[in-house]
Amino acid sequence: MPDVRLNSSYRTVIGILLSITLVLVGVTFFFFDPARSSFYPVCMFHKLTGLNCPGCGGLRALHQLTHGNFVTAFHYNPLLMVLLPFITFITLRWQIRGREAFVGNTVLFRPAALWLLLAVTLLFTVLRNLPGPAFEWMSP
């Protein structure tokens, strides 16, 4: 039988490290605008093709989010802003339940949900790169 305390202490250490990392990342996004700071990574997909990947605008969106500008953050990357609550929920669920968070009757981890996420991401990528005013709001 596995030692539950080891699993619990492992999650505690990971939780503390994750919290420290999130605070540092949040402070970095708050004080350094990705549009003006050169140390942020460049999107290689955009650089090579001129098209926007699903993550394009994500760093600028997080910068705006740390300043409370939700509408501007949504403008930079709507998909990220819609998925952020789910990412937060999954992270907290893992922190509380450990590996058990990913087993069982969890709707978010069924193959159909993951395929749907892939399809939505691909559709978002295609739509945000279409010319014309119809989907212009999806481009950063």
Side-chain angles (χ1 to χ4, degrees), residues 1-2 4 9 13 20 24 33 44 82 88 91 109 132:
M1 182 154 195
V4 177
S9 64
V13 169
I20 291 169
L24 292 175
D33 185 357
M44 293 307 294
V82 168
T88 304
T91 303
F109 300 112

Side-chain angles (χ1 to χ4, degrees), residues 25-103:
V25 167
V27 167
T28 302
F29 276 121
F30 185 82
F31 287 110
F32 299 100
D33 185 357
R36 295 190 185 108
S37 301
S38 61
F39 63 86
Y40 288 103
V42 176
C43 177
M44 293 307 294
F45 182 80
H46 183 73
K47 188 174 183 177
L48 294 173
T49 66
L51 300 172
N52 293 314
C53 77
C56 280
L59 295 176
R60 289 174 281 168
L62 291 173
H63 172 72
Q64 293 299 323
L65 197 61
T66 61
H67 288 275
N69 303 326
F70 298 102
V71 174
T72 308
F74 185 83
H75 165 73
Y76 280 126
N77 194 317
L79 183 63
L80 176 64
M81 292 302 103
V82 168
L83 291 179
L84 212 50
F86 294 107
I87 294 167
T88 304
F89 170 76
I90 290 166
T91 303
L92 289 174
R93 183 180 168 114
W94 172 78
Q95 185 59 36
I96 293 167
R97 294 187 177 178
R99 273 187 259 165
E100 295 170 6
F102 304 110
V103 254

Side-chain angles (χ1 to χ4, degrees), residues 7-23:
N7 190 12
S8 176
S9 64
Y10 171 76
R11 282 197 323 253
T12 302
V13 169
I14 294 296
I16 291 169
L17 292 175
L18 183 63
S19 298
I20 291 169
T21 302
L22 288 175
V23 167

